[in-house]
PDB file of all heavy atoms in Angstrom:
ATOM      1  N   SER A 132      -9.085 -17.412-157.477  1.00  0.00           N
ATOM      2  CA  SER A 132      -9.940 -18.586-157.301  1.00  0.00           C
ATOM      3  C   SER A 132     -10.197 -18.749-155.810  1.00  0.00           C
ATOM      4  O   SER A 132     -10.331 -17.750-155.101  1.00  0.00           O
ATOM      5  CB  SER A 132      -9.279 -19.829-157.910  1.00  0.00           C
ATOM      6  OG  SER A 132     -10.193 -20.908-157.903  1.00  0.00           O
ATOM      7  N   ALA A 245       6.146  -9.698-161.296  1.00  0.00           N
ATOM      8  CA  ALA A 245       7.381 -10.443-161.008  1.00  0.00           C
ATOM      9  C   ALA A 245       7.941 -11.051-162.289  1.00  0.00           C
ATOM     10  O   ALA A 245       7.187 -11.469-163.173  1.00  0.00           O
ATOM     11  CB  ALA A 245       7.108 -11.539-159.978  1.00  0.00           C
ATOM     12  N   LYS A 300     -43.305 -43.673-131.332  1.00  0.00           N
ATOM     13  CA  LYS A 300     -44.526 -43.461-130.543  1.00  0.00           C
ATOM     14  C   LYS A 300     -45.731 -43.375-131.451  1.00  0.00           C
ATOM     15  O   LYS A 300     -46.809 -43.822-131.162  1.00  0.00           O
ATOM     16  CB  LYS A 300     -44.394 -42.180-129.727  1.00  0.00           C
ATOM     17  CG  LYS A 300     -43.515 -42.328-128.498  1.00  0.00           C
ATOM     18  CD  LYS A 300     -43.358 -40.970-127.812  1.00  0.00           C
ATOM     19  CE  LYS A 300     -42.205 -40.985-126.833  1.00  0.00           C
ATOM     20  NZ  LYS A 300     -41.835 -39.644-126.427  1.00  0.00           N
TER      21      LYS A 300
END
Side-chain angles (χ1 to χ4, degrees):
S132 188
K300 283 176 196 166

